[in-house]
Amino acid sequence: MTCPGLRARFDDYVAGRLSDIEARALEAHLEGCAECEAFLESQAWPIDAVRSLPRAVAPREDLWPAIGSRLSPRESAHRRRVAVPRWALAAAAVLLVAVSSGVTAVLIRRSAVPSVVQPSGSLEAQYAAASEELTAALEKARARLAPETFASIQRSLGIIDAALDESRRALARDPVNEGLQLLVAAAWRQKVDLLRRATGLGAES
Amino acid sequence: MRRRLASLLLLLAATPLAAQQKINRRIAIDPDASIRINSMAGLIKVVGWDFDSIAVTGSVPAGAQFFMGGRGRVAKMGVERKDETLAEPGSTLEVRVPRRARLWIKAGTAAIEVSGLYGELDCSSVSGPIRVEGSLKLLVAESMEGDLKAFGPMDVVRLKGGAGSVTLRGPRGDVQAFTVGGTIVATDAAVVRAHLETVSGTIAYDGTVDRSGTLEVITHSGDITLRLPPEIAAEFDLSSFDGDIVAAISGKGEKGGKGGEVQKPVRGKPVSFMTSGGGANVKVRSFKGEIRILKR
C-alpha cells in the first residue's frame, strides 16, 4: 500500500470497513512508514489544542451584524437547500453565549456604579432573531426527530416562552430592576441554547 | 404433520435469537486514546479498566451491524442500522476502555452508563438517560429528555438537560447544570464554582462552597433550597421577585447589623448578609420560586 493509498483509506480503516487483507496491508505499511504513523497520530482529536485555547474570547462589537445578516431570511438557492449553515449556528451560539455571559456577569455582580445594565433592545432583538432562525431550522429538522422528542422539545420551549413572557412583562413595569433583567437574559439564553441543541439533533453521527 | 408443525414453531421461536448477533471484539490501544462510540438505541455501558486495550461484548439486533477499528491514539466503534429512526430493538454494548481514555459517545434513545474513568467524557443522548460515575477530569453530558446523573469528584462538569432531572452526588471543582423543567439536586457537594439553572424545575443543593468560590442558582418558578453549614464563610445575595425568602443561617447585614436568619418570610425585596467574615459568593435569583437557606 502506498502513502496516498493509506491516507485515502484511513477513515475506512478506523471505521472497520476494510477487509482483513486490506487492513493487514495498511498495518504493514504503517509499521515501516514513520510519515504515515505521524499522519495517523495527527488524526487524534485535537483535544490538547482545544484545551490550550483561552477559556473565553470577547466578541468584536461589530460581529453581530455580519452574523445577523447571514442569518436573516434571504431567499437564495443556498438558503433553500440548507436551513442554517452549521458554522453560522456555531458562531451565533458562541456569540450569544459570550454576550449573554457578559451581560449575566455584569448583572449578577453588585456594582458600585449606579448605572443600570438591562437587556438592551438591540440585545433582545439579537436573541429574538437567532431564536426565530433556529425555530425555522428546527421545523426543517423535524423529519429526523422522533415525534415524541419533537413534542418534548415543544413542551420545553413552551415552558421557556411562558417564563420569558412573565419576566418581560414584569420588567416592563419595573425596567430598572436588575434581578428581572438577569432573569429575562437567562430565559433568552435557555431558549436559544435549547433551540441550538434541538436543531443539531441527528445532524451528526 | 404435528411434528412438522412443532418443528416450524421451534424454528420461529429460535429466529430472534439466531438473528441477534453476539459481539466479542478486542483491540490494543494507547492508555489515553480518543475513542468514539455511536449507537442509537439500547444500552451503551462503558467501564474503565487497567489494560491498554478495548474489549467489547454485547449484542446487536438483526439488520444492524457492529463496527470497530483503530489503533494507537484513535479508535471508533458503533452500530449502524438501515433505519436509524427506529428506536427498537436496541443494541447492548459493554465496552471496556483504559481508565485515562478520552471518550465521545453519541446515542439516540440509548441509555449511557459510564464508570471507572479518569479522563474526559463528552456524551449525548437525544432522549436516553446518562449516568456517569468516577473521577473524571472533564464531563460534558446532554440529553433532551433523559435524566442526567454525575456521581463522584470530577474537576469540570457541564450538564445540559431538558425535561429530565439532573442529579449530582459529591460534586467538586467547577460545575454547571441546566434544565428546563427538570429538577437539579446536588448532594454532598463541595464545589469551587457552581452554576445551577432551571426554568420551572426545583433546585436543591446540600453541601458547602469553597471560601474563594461561587455558587449561583437561578430559577424562574422553581423553588430553591440550599442546605449549608452554619459556619460557612460566605456572602449571600438572595432575590426572588415574587417568591418568599427564608434563611435559617445568621450573619451580618450589609450595614454591619445582624442579618440573615430570616425567620419570617420576606417577599419582593432582596436579602443579603455575610457569615464568618465573608468568603464564597452565594447568589440566588428567582422570579417566583421560594428561596430557603437551611442549616446543614
Side-chain angles (χ1 to χ4, degrees), chain A residues 36-84:
Chain A
C36 285
E37 184 76 33
F39 170 77
L40 185 144
E41 290 289 321
S42 72
Q43 299 304 297
W45 295 318
I47 291 175
D48 291 331
V50 171
R51 291 172 80 191
S52 69
L53 291 171
R55 292 175 70 85
V57 178
R60 293 201 326 262
E61 286 182 2
D62 61 345
L63 192 58
W64 178 256
I67 295 171
S69 64
R70 289 179 191 278
L71 288 176
S72 65
R74 257 183 284 162
E75 287 301 319
S76 69
H78 179 70
R79 285 277 307 155
R80 276 191 292 275
R81 211 168 49 246
V82 181
V84 179

Short mmCIF file of all heavy atoms in Angstrom, two decimals, chain A residues 36-84:
data_model
loop_
_atom_site.label_atom_id
_atom_site.label_comp_id
_atom_site.label_asym_id
_atom_site.label_seq_id
_atom_site.Cartn_x
_atom_site.Cartn_y
_atom_site.Cartn_z
N CYS A 36 3.57 8.07 7.70
CA CYS A 36 2.16 7.68 7.84
C CYS A 36 1.78 7.46 9.31
O CYS A 36 0.65 7.73 9.72
CB CYS A 36 1.86 6.43 7.02
SG CYS A 36 1.76 6.78 5.26
N GLU A 37 2.73 6.98 10.08
CA GLU A 37 2.49 6.83 11.52
C GLU A 37 2.19 8.20 12.13
O GLU A 37 1.27 8.36 12.93
CB GLU A 37 3.72 6.20 12.18
CG GLU A 37 3.57 5.91 13.67
CD GLU A 37 2.71 4.67 13.93
OE1 GLU A 37 2.77 3.74 13.12
OE2 GLU A 37 1.99 4.67 14.93
N ALA A 38 3.00 9.20 11.68
CA ALA A 38 2.78 10.57 12.17
C ALA A 38 1.42 11.09 11.71
O ALA A 38 0.72 11.78 12.46
CB ALA A 38 3.90 11.47 11.68
N PHE A 39 1.06 10.73 10.48
CA PHE A 39 -0.24 11.15 9.97
C PHE A 39 -1.37 10.57 10.83
O PHE A 39 -2.31 11.27 11.21
CB PHE A 39 -0.41 10.68 8.52
CG PHE A 39 -1.80 10.87 7.97
CD1 PHE A 39 -2.25 12.12 7.58
CD2 PHE A 39 -2.68 9.80 7.88
CE1 PHE A 39 -3.54 12.29 7.10
CE2 PHE A 39 -3.97 9.96 7.41
CZ PHE A 39 -4.39 11.21 7.01
N LEU A 40 -1.22 9.30 11.16
CA LEU A 40 -2.24 8.66 11.99
C LEU A 40 -2.34 9.36 13.35
O LEU A 40 -3.43 9.63 13.85
CB LEU A 40 -1.89 7.19 12.18
CG LEU A 40 -2.93 6.34 12.92
CD1 LEU A 40 -2.96 4.94 12.31
CD2 LEU A 40 -2.63 6.23 14.40
N GLU A 41 -1.17 9.68 13.90
CA GLU A 41 -1.16 10.38 15.18
C GLU A 41 -1.89 11.72 15.07
O GLU A 41 -2.61 12.14 15.97
CB GLU A 41 0.28 10.63 15.64
CG GLU A 41 1.03 9.37 16.06
CD GLU A 41 0.51 8.82 17.37
OE1 GLU A 41 0.21 9.63 18.25
OE2 GLU A 41 0.40 7.60 17.51
N SER A 42 -1.69 12.37 13.93
CA SER A 42 -2.29 13.71 13.76
C SER A 42 -3.80 13.63 13.65
O SER A 42 -4.49 14.65 13.77
CB SER A 42 -1.72 14.39 12.52
OG SER A 42 -2.24 13.78 11.35
N GLN A 43 -4.33 12.44 13.40
CA GLN A 43 -5.77 12.31 13.28
C GLN A 43 -6.48 12.20 14.63
O GLN A 43 -7.69 12.21 14.70
CB GLN A 43 -6.13 11.08 12.43
CG GLN A 43 -5.60 11.15 11.01
CD GLN A 43 -6.07 12.40 10.30
OE1 GLN A 43 -7.25 12.59 10.08
NE2 GLN A 43 -5.13 13.27 9.94
N ALA A 44 -5.68 12.03 15.68
CA ALA A 44 -6.30 12.02 17.01
C ALA A 44 -6.98 13.35 17.21
O ALA A 44 -6.53 14.37 16.71
CB ALA A 44 -5.25 11.79 18.08
N TRP A 45 -8.09 13.35 17.92
CA TRP A 45 -8.81 14.60 18.07
C TRP A 45 -7.95 15.65 18.76
O TRP A 45 -7.22 15.33 19.70
CB TRP A 45 -10.08 14.37 18.90
CG TRP A 45 -11.01 13.51 18.19
CD1 TRP A 45 -11.33 13.54 16.87
CD2 TRP A 45 -11.72 12.42 18.76
NE1 TRP A 45 -12.21 12.55 16.58
CE2 TRP A 45 -12.47 11.85 17.71
CE3 TRP A 45 -11.82 11.90 20.04
CZ2 TRP A 45 -13.30 10.77 17.92
CZ3 TRP A 45 -12.65 10.82 20.23
CH2 TRP A 45 -13.36 10.27 19.18
N PRO A 46 -8.05 16.84 18.30
CA PRO A 46 -7.16 17.88 18.82
C PRO A 46 -7.62 18.42 20.17
O PRO A 46 -7.74 19.61 20.36
CB PRO A 46 -7.23 18.96 17.74
CG PRO A 46 -8.59 18.80 17.17
CD PRO A 46 -8.93 17.33 17.25
N ILE A 47 -7.83 17.51 21.11
CA ILE A 47 -8.32 17.95 22.42
C ILE A 47 -7.27 18.81 23.12
O ILE A 47 -7.58 19.83 23.74
CB ILE A 47 -8.70 16.74 23.27
CG1 ILE A 47 -9.95 16.10 22.67
CG2 ILE A 47 -8.95 17.12 24.72
CD1 ILE A 47 -10.38 14.82 23.33
N ASP A 48 -6.00 18.39 22.97
CA ASP A 48 -4.96 19.17 23.64
C ASP A 48 -4.94 20.60 23.10
O ASP A 48 -4.80 21.56 23.85
CB ASP A 48 -3.59 18.52 23.43
CG ASP A 48 -3.50 17.21 24.18
OD1 ASP A 48 -4.18 17.09 25.22
OD2 ASP A 48 -2.79 16.31 23.73
N ALA A 49 -5.09 20.70 21.79
CA ALA A 49 -5.09 22.04 21.19
C ALA A 49 -6.27 22.85 21.67
O ALA A 49 -6.16 24.03 21.98
CB ALA A 49 -5.12 21.92 19.66
N VAL A 50 -7.43 22.19 21.77
CA VAL A 50 -8.63 22.89 22.23
C VAL A 50 -8.46 23.35 23.67
O VAL A 50 -8.81 24.47 24.05
CB VAL A 50 -9.86 21.97 22.11
CG1 VAL A 50 -11.06 22.60 22.80
CG2 VAL A 50 -10.17 21.72 20.65
N ARG A 51 -7.84 22.48 24.46
CA ARG A 51 -7.68 22.82 25.88
C ARG A 51 -6.72 23.99 26.07
O ARG A 51 -6.78 24.69 27.05
CB ARG A 51 -7.18 21.61 26.66
CG ARG A 51 -8.22 20.53 26.75
CD ARG A 51 -7.65 19.30 27.34
NE ARG A 51 -7.57 19.38 28.79
CZ ARG A 51 -6.92 18.51 29.52
NH1 ARG A 51 -6.27 17.53 28.96
NH2 ARG A 51 -6.91 18.62 30.82
N SER A 52 -5.82 24.16 25.11
CA SER A 52 -4.86 25.25 25.26
C SER A 52 -5.46 26.59 24.88
O SER A 52 -4.87 27.63 25.09
CB SER A 52 -3.63 24.97 24.40
OG SER A 52 -3.98 25.08 23.03
N LEU A 53 -6.67 26.56 24.30
CA LEU A 53 -7.30 27.83 23.92
C LEU A 53 -7.75 28.60 25.16
O LEU A 53 -8.00 28.00 26.21
CB LEU A 53 -8.52 27.56 23.03
CG LEU A 53 -8.23 27.00 21.64
CD1 LEU A 53 -9.53 26.57 20.98
CD2 LEU A 53 -7.52 28.03 20.79
N PRO A 54 -7.86 29.92 25.05
CA PRO A 54 -8.37 30.68 26.20
C PRO A 54 -9.79 30.26 26.53
O PRO A 54 -10.53 29.81 25.66
CB PRO A 54 -8.31 32.13 25.71
CG PRO A 54 -8.20 32.06 24.23
CD PRO A 54 -7.54 30.77 23.91
N ARG A 55 -10.16 30.40 27.80
CA ARG A 55 -11.50 29.97 28.23
C ARG A 55 -12.59 30.83 27.62
O ARG A 55 -13.71 30.38 27.46
CB ARG A 55 -11.59 30.04 29.77
CG ARG A 55 -10.73 29.00 30.43
CD ARG A 55 -10.78 29.20 31.92
NE ARG A 55 -12.09 28.85 32.46
CZ ARG A 55 -12.43 27.61 32.80
NH1 ARG A 55 -11.57 26.63 32.66
NH2 ARG A 55 -13.61 27.36 33.30
N ALA A 56 -12.29 32.07 27.32
CA ALA A 56 -13.32 32.93 26.73
C ALA A 56 -12.66 33.90 25.76
O ALA A 56 -11.53 34.33 25.97
CB ALA A 56 -14.06 33.71 27.82
N VAL A 57 -13.35 34.20 24.72
CA VAL A 57 -12.87 35.19 23.76
C VAL A 57 -13.95 36.25 23.62
O VAL A 57 -15.09 35.93 23.29
CB VAL A 57 -12.61 34.54 22.38
CG1 VAL A 57 -12.15 35.58 21.39
CG2 VAL A 57 -11.58 33.43 22.50
N ALA A 58 -13.56 37.47 23.89
CA ALA A 58 -14.55 38.55 23.80
C ALA A 58 -14.91 38.78 22.34
O ALA A 58 -14.02 38.91 21.49
CB ALA A 58 -13.98 39.82 24.40
N PRO A 59 -16.19 38.80 22.01
CA PRO A 59 -16.57 39.03 20.61
C PRO A 59 -16.34 40.48 20.21
O PRO A 59 -16.47 41.38 21.04
CB PRO A 59 -18.07 38.71 20.61
CG PRO A 59 -18.52 38.99 21.99
CD PRO A 59 -17.35 38.66 22.89
N ARG A 60 -16.01 40.67 18.95
CA ARG A 60 -15.90 42.04 18.46
C ARG A 60 -17.30 42.64 18.45
O ARG A 60 -18.29 41.96 18.23
CB ARG A 60 -15.36 42.05 17.03
CG ARG A 60 -13.93 41.58 16.92
CD ARG A 60 -13.32 42.10 15.62
NE ARG A 60 -14.27 42.19 14.53
CZ ARG A 60 -14.40 41.25 13.59
NH1 ARG A 60 -13.69 40.16 13.65
NH2 ARG A 60 -15.27 41.41 12.61
N GLU A 61 -17.34 43.95 18.71
CA GLU A 61 -18.65 44.59 18.81
C GLU A 61 -19.40 44.53 17.49
O GLU A 61 -20.62 44.53 17.44
CB GLU A 61 -18.49 46.04 19.25
CG GLU A 61 -18.13 46.14 20.73
CD GLU A 61 -18.02 47.57 21.18
OE1 GLU A 61 -18.25 48.46 20.35
OE2 GLU A 61 -17.67 47.80 22.34
N ASP A 62 -18.64 44.50 16.39
CA ASP A 62 -19.30 44.54 15.09
C ASP A 62 -19.54 43.14 14.52
O ASP A 62 -19.78 42.98 13.35
CB ASP A 62 -18.48 45.37 14.11
CG ASP A 62 -17.09 44.76 13.91
OD1 ASP A 62 -16.71 43.90 14.74
OD2 ASP A 62 -16.42 45.14 12.95
N LEU A 63 -19.43 42.14 15.38
CA LEU A 63 -19.55 40.77 14.87
C LEU A 63 -20.99 40.42 14.52
O LEU A 63 -21.27 39.73 13.55
CB LEU A 63 -19.04 39.79 15.94
CG LEU A 63 -18.82 38.35 15.50
CD1 LEU A 63 -17.84 38.29 14.33
CD2 LEU A 63 -18.28 37.53 16.66
N TRP A 64 -21.92 40.91 15.34
CA TRP A 64 -23.30 40.50 15.15
C TRP A 64 -23.89 40.89 13.80
O TRP A 64 -24.55 40.06 13.16
CB TRP A 64 -24.19 41.02 16.28
CG TRP A 64 -25.60 40.61 15.99
CD1 TRP A 64 -26.61 41.37 15.53
CD2 TRP A 64 -26.14 39.29 16.10
NE1 TRP A 64 -27.74 40.62 15.34
CE2 TRP A 64 -27.47 39.33 15.67
CE3 TRP A 64 -25.61 38.06 16.50
CZ2 TRP A 64 -28.29 38.22 15.65
CZ3 TRP A 64 -26.43 36.95 16.47
CH2 TRP A 64 -27.74 37.05 16.05
N PRO A 65 -23.66 42.13 13.32
CA PRO A 65 -24.30 42.48 12.05
C PRO A 65 -23.97 41.49 10.94
O PRO A 65 -24.83 41.10 10.16
CB PRO A 65 -23.74 43.87 11.74
CG PRO A 65 -23.40 44.43 13.09
CD PRO A 65 -22.95 43.27 13.91
N ALA A 66 -22.70 41.05 10.89
CA ALA A 66 -22.32 40.10 9.84
C ALA A 66 -23.06 38.78 10.02
O ALA A 66 -23.60 38.22 9.05
CB ALA A 66 -20.81 39.87 9.89
N ILE A 67 -23.10 38.30 11.26
CA ILE A 67 -23.80 37.04 11.51
C ILE A 67 -25.29 37.22 11.30
O ILE A 67 -25.96 36.40 10.67
CB ILE A 67 -23.52 36.55 12.95
CG1 ILE A 67 -22.03 36.20 13.08
CG2 ILE A 67 -24.37 35.34 13.31
CD1 ILE A 67 -21.59 35.92 14.49
N GLY A 68 -25.80 38.34 11.84
CA GLY A 68 -27.24 38.59 11.71
C GLY A 68 -27.68 38.66 10.27
O GLY A 68 -28.72 38.11 9.89
N SER A 69 -26.85 39.33 9.45
CA SER A 69 -27.25 39.45 8.05
C SER A 69 -27.24 38.09 7.37
O SER A 69 -28.03 37.80 6.49
CB SER A 69 -26.32 40.41 7.32
OG SER A 69 -25.01 39.88 7.30
N ARG A 70 -26.31 37.23 7.80
CA ARG A 70 -26.27 35.89 7.22
C ARG A 70 -27.44 35.05 7.71
O ARG A 70 -27.91 34.15 7.01
CB ARG A 70 -24.96 35.19 7.57
CG ARG A 70 -23.78 35.78 6.84
CD ARG A 70 -22.51 35.08 7.24
NE ARG A 70 -21.34 35.78 6.77
CZ ARG A 70 -20.87 35.67 5.53
NH1 ARG A 70 -21.47 34.90 4.68
NH2 ARG A 70 -19.81 36.34 5.16
N LEU A 71 -27.86 35.32 8.94
CA LEU A 71 -28.97 34.54 9.49
C LEU A 71 -30.33 35.04 9.00
O LEU A 71 -31.31 34.32 9.04
CB LEU A 71 -28.96 34.60 11.03
CG LEU A 71 -27.85 33.83 11.71
CD1 LEU A 71 -27.91 34.05 13.22
CD2 LEU A 71 -27.97 32.34 11.43
N SER A 72 -30.37 36.30 8.53
CA SER A 72 -31.66 36.86 8.18
C SER A 72 -32.25 36.12 7.00
O SER A 72 -31.54 35.64 6.12
CB SER A 72 -31.51 38.34 7.84
OG SER A 72 -30.73 38.47 6.69
N PRO A 73 -33.58 36.01 6.99
CA PRO A 73 -34.22 35.20 5.94
C PRO A 73 -34.06 35.81 4.56
O PRO A 73 -34.74 36.76 4.22
CB PRO A 73 -35.68 35.16 6.38
CG PRO A 73 -35.86 36.34 7.25
CD PRO A 73 -34.54 36.63 7.89
N ARG A 74 -33.12 35.30 3.82
CA ARG A 74 -32.92 35.74 2.46
C ARG A 74 -33.30 34.62 1.53
O ARG A 74 -32.99 33.46 1.79
CB ARG A 74 -31.45 36.12 2.23
CG ARG A 74 -31.23 37.60 2.21
CD ARG A 74 -29.79 37.88 1.91
NE ARG A 74 -28.98 37.64 3.09
CZ ARG A 74 -27.68 37.46 3.04
NH1 ARG A 74 -27.03 37.48 1.91
NH2 ARG A 74 -27.01 37.26 4.15
N GLU A 75 -33.92 34.96 0.47
CA GLU A 75 -34.32 33.93 -0.49
C GLU A 75 -33.16 33.66 -1.43
O GLU A 75 -32.87 34.42 -2.33
CB GLU A 75 -35.54 34.39 -1.29
CG GLU A 75 -36.81 34.37 -0.49
CD GLU A 75 -37.12 32.98 0.06
OE1 GLU A 75 -36.94 31.99 -0.66
OE2 GLU A 75 -37.54 32.91 1.22
N SER A 76 -32.46 32.61 -1.17
CA SER A 76 -31.40 32.22 -2.08
C SER A 76 -31.45 30.71 -2.22
O SER A 76 -32.00 30.01 -1.38
CB SER A 76 -30.03 32.64 -1.55
OG SER A 76 -29.72 31.87 -0.41
N ALA A 77 -30.85 30.25 -3.30
CA ALA A 77 -30.86 28.80 -3.53
C ALA A 77 -30.20 28.08 -2.37
O ALA A 77 -30.66 27.05 -1.92
CB ALA A 77 -30.14 28.49 -4.83
N HIS A 78 -29.11 28.66 -1.89
CA HIS A 78 -28.40 28.01 -0.81
C HIS A 78 -29.25 27.93 0.44
O HIS A 78 -29.30 26.91 1.11
CB HIS A 78 -27.11 28.79 -0.53
CG HIS A 78 -26.31 28.21 0.59
ND1 HIS A 78 -25.66 27.00 0.45
CD2 HIS A 78 -26.08 28.63 1.84
CE1 HIS A 78 -25.04 26.71 1.57
NE2 HIS A 78 -25.28 27.69 2.44
N ARG A 79 -29.95 29.05 0.72
CA ARG A 79 -30.79 29.07 1.92
C ARG A 79 -31.93 28.06 1.81
O ARG A 79 -32.34 27.48 2.77
CB ARG A 79 -31.38 30.46 2.12
CG ARG A 79 -30.41 31.46 2.64
CD ARG A 79 -30.29 31.35 4.15
NE ARG A 79 -31.61 31.42 4.73
CZ ARG A 79 -31.89 30.90 5.89
NH1 ARG A 79 -30.99 30.25 6.56
NH2 ARG A 79 -33.10 31.01 6.40
N ARG A 80 -32.41 27.87 0.61
CA ARG A 80 -33.49 26.92 0.46
C ARG A 80 -33.01 25.49 0.68
O ARG A 80 -33.70 24.65 1.18
CB ARG A 80 -34.13 27.06 -0.93
CG ARG A 80 -35.17 28.16 -0.99
CD ARG A 80 -35.95 28.07 -2.27
NE ARG A 80 -35.14 28.39 -3.42
CZ ARG A 80 -34.92 29.61 -3.86
NH1 ARG A 80 -35.43 30.64 -3.22
NH2 ARG A 80 -34.17 29.83 -4.91
N ARG A 81 -31.74 25.27 0.33
CA ARG A 81 -31.21 23.92 0.43
C ARG A 81 -30.82 23.58 1.87
O ARG A 81 -31.06 22.51 2.36
CB ARG A 81 -29.99 23.80 -0.48
CG ARG A 81 -29.80 22.42 -1.03
CD ARG A 81 -28.77 22.38 -2.13
NE ARG A 81 -27.53 23.02 -1.84
CZ ARG A 81 -27.09 24.10 -2.45
NH1 ARG A 81 -27.80 24.65 -3.39
NH2 ARG A 81 -25.94 24.63 -2.12
N VAL A 82 -30.19 24.53 2.56
CA VAL A 82 -29.72 24.29 3.92
C VAL A 82 -30.38 25.31 4.84
O VAL A 82 -30.30 26.51 4.57
CB VAL A 82 -28.19 24.45 4.01
CG1 VAL A 82 -27.71 24.17 5.42
CG2 VAL A 82 -27.51 23.53 3.01
N ALA A 83 -31.02 24.83 5.87
CA ALA A 83 -31.78 25.73 6.75
C ALA A 83 -30.87 26.83 7.31
O ALA A 83 -31.08 28.00 7.09
CB ALA A 83 -32.40 24.95 7.87
N VAL A 84 -29.87 26.44 8.06
CA VAL A 84 -28.91 27.40 8.60
C VAL A 84 -27.55 26.71 8.55
O VAL A 84 -27.43 25.58 9.01
CB VAL A 84 -29.22 27.76 10.07
CG1 VAL A 84 -28.17 28.72 10.60
CG2 VAL A 84 -30.60 28.37 10.19
#
